[in-house]
Every structure is written in C-alpha cells, then in structure tokens.
Amino acid sequence: MNGSAQLLSPLLVCAAGWFAWSLLIGGLANRLPHAALQQDNGLTRLRSWEGRHGYEQRLGIRSWKGWLPDAGPALPGGVAKSALVRRDRRLLEVLMAETRRAELVHWALWPFWIITSLWLPPTGVLLNLLFATLFNLPCLAVQRYNRLRLQASLDHFRGESGPPG
C-alpha cells in the first residue's frame, strides 16, 4: 500500500463508521415510542441554570441555529422541527417530544469517537473527539433551547406564565 492509500484508508473507515453509526442511532431513536419521550429523563432534564436568555445572550443561538440541518424528517414518521407554523397545544407537545428524541440521538452519536481508537493513532482519535464535539454540541444546545421555548408556549396555553416566547 502506498502512502496516500495508507492515509486514505483510516479516513474512509472513519467516514463510513460515522455514517453507519448515525444511521443505526437514528433508526433506533426513530423506534422509541412517543410515550417514552413525553417526560424528560436524567439526561434531557433542563437544569436550573439553563435559561432561554442565556442561550440567546451567551451563545447567540438565534443567529446560528438556522444553519444546522434538521434530520427529523429524514426517517419515516419523523417530524421537522420547523413544523411549528401555528400555536397548537398538541403540536407543541409533539415537538417537545421530538426535541428529546433529537437530544438523545446527539448524546448517543457523540461517543463513537471512542470506537475510532480501534484503528486510529491517538492524534486521529483526538481529531474524532473534536469532530464529535463540534458536530453534536451545537445540536444539543439547539434542542435544549427549543424545548425551553416550547415549554414557555405550553405554559402560556395552561395559563401558567406570561406570553410565549
């Protein structure tokens, strides 16, 4: 094997691995029953320090979140997160569940970098950790931010707070 083929082979294995892992995780998440996504769990539970304005002011999330792809409709029965065209309580609840599904997907995608240690030197593994973090962290932030916004709208429907945001 020549030098360029030796370099290309691990890259192709990584790309194929990330693609296959993403399909597997997305497919498994798509099979989660809607009832399992009705409530937050220890991983998806919003923390007391999280607030919509923190995401907006510290992360500037409103300026870049539209650039992220929405894989929700990629699988059968999936829901586009942009489906909120009207303020319907039932639709808001469905979208809340879908933000949990998407968050679980990104938490499950992230650790694939560890598997790359089976064939990559430490530098390659570190690059995969960086890729996994840069790819998934913004998506996780957007799902949590969207859930905060959806919760405010649902609270408004229930008469629990001020106007929805």
Side-chain angles (χ1 to χ4, degrees):
M1 204 185 274
N2 66 28
S4 62
Q6 284 179 324
L7 179 62
L8 192 57
S9 180
L11 291 174
L12 291 175
V13 171
C14 281
W18 279 108
F19 182 72
W21 187 250
S22 297
L23 289 177
L24 174 67
I25 297 300
L28 291 173
N30 196 43
R31 294 180 190 275
L32 284 173
H34 187 71
L37 301 165
Q38 292 300 312
Q39 299 293 321
D40 283 319
N41 60 39
L43 197 57
T44 62
R45 178 180 58 85
L46 296 169
R47 308 302 190 243
S48 61
W49 52 267
E50 287 182 281
R52 216 176 103 199
H53 299 292
Y55 280 105
E56 291 171 357
Q57 292 169 353
R58 279 179 251 153
L59 295 180
I61 202 164
R62 293 180 74 146
S63 65
W64 54 264
K65 75 179 200 125
W67 290 93
L68 297 179
D70 181 359
L75 294 167
V79 176
K81 307 316 176 284
S82 61
L84 183 58
V85 294
R86 66 189 190 289
R87 297 206 184 253
D88 174 88
R89 186 177 57 80
R90 178 68 189 124
L91 180 59
L92 292 173
E93 290 169 351
V94 168
L95 288 172
M96 283 280 285
E98 290 304 314
T99 64
R100 290 183 186 102
R101 184 187 316 272
E103 187 176 342
L104 291 172
V105 164
H106 287 284
W107 281 119
L109 287 175
W110 185 82
F112 182 77
W113 69 270
I114 298 167
I115 297 169
T116 67
S117 67
L118 295 173
W119 67 86
L120 290 176
T123 303
V125 176
L126 186 60
L127 287 172
N128 273 272
L129 167 61
L130 183 63
F131 169 78
T133 303
L134 291 175
F135 177 78
N136 290 292
L137 196 58
C139 297
L140 288 165
V142 166
Q143 297 312 316
R144 297 177 77 78
Y145 171 73
N146 286 344
R147 199 154 57 256
L148 284 164
R149 293 181 65 208
L150 290 165
Q151 187 61 59
S153 292
L154 283 169
D155 289 348
H156 176 70
F157 272 112
R158 295 180 190 122
E160 297 174 12
S161 67

